[in-house]
């Protein structure tokens, strides 16, 4: 039996994964660095500075630390412009039901997001009060695929990792869940999220009874 479900935010509960993509794309275009959806798949779940490093590794020149800081800030500015008008209507289909069904079944509900914008996005979506615990970038030293964020969430929820389900749309996120010793539900394509224990297309297909063992 499981005692907790720990959800990722971007790309799982709301489509901010697409906004991150658009913001990086705009930045890469400005720097004339090749960028597309396939490459973006490698950035999902990866924190801001490490995402930038991956993008800049495809540039034809080195970047100084202060240039990198300015670029990261610019990307965040693009991103914050895109999320400015978000409301609860931007929750993905099934998201609210999934959160409520977990709580109604008596399991703890956690959130594990490496985004520094997570508190802002949760506030816009109006769902911050639906979690027993929220772990974001400010509380961890190592981003996904390191298991730290999921292990921290499990610890805060006072649930053994083996009794947690993690829900993720990113390859790096699924790796983090598996390294934490949890059951991994992938949201997306089975051909991409190959290390997940099971893959669903979206949270409208999330049924807790499917995972009760
Ligand atoms: C993750 C996203 O949730 O947060 C990544 O999947 C993003 O794409 C990361 O880079 C960091 O987000 P932020 O808002 O701190 O730049
Ligand atoms: Mg995600």
């Amino acid at each position: 039996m499981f005692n907790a479900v720990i959800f990722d935010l971007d790309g799982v509960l709301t489509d901010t994964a697409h906004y991150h993509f658009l913001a990086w794309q705009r930045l890469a275009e400005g720097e004339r660095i090749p960028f597309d959806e396939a490459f973006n798949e490698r950035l999902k779940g990866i924190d801001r500075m490490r995402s930038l490093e991956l993008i800049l590794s495809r540039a034809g020149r080195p970047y100084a630390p202060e240039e990198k800081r300015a670029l990261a800030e610019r990307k965040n500015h693009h991103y914050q412009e895109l999320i400015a008008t978000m409301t609860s209507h931007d929750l993905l289909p099934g998201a609210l039901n999934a959160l409520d069904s977990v709580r109604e079944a008596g399991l703890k509900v956690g959130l594990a997001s490496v985004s520094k914008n997570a508190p802002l996005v949760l506030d816009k979506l109006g769902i911050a009060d639906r979690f027993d615990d929220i772990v974001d970038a400010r509380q961890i030293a190592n981003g996904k695929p390191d298991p730290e964020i999921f292990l921290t969430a499990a610890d805060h929820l006072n649930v053994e990792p083996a009794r947690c389900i993690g829900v993720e749309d990113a390859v790096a996120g699924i790796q983090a869940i598996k390294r934490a010793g949890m059951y991994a539900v992938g949201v997306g394509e089975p051909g991409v999220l190959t290390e997940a224990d099971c893959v669903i297309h979206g949270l409208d297909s999330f049924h807790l009874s499917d995972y009760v063992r």
Side-chain angles (χ1 to χ4, degrees), residues 10 20 43-48 51 75 114-117:
D10 296 326
H20 281 293
L43 305 183
K44 284 187 183 171
I46 305 294
D47 66 40
R48 197 182 307 163
S51 297
K75 183 268 175 176
V114 300
S115 172
K116 294 198 170 88
N117 289 292

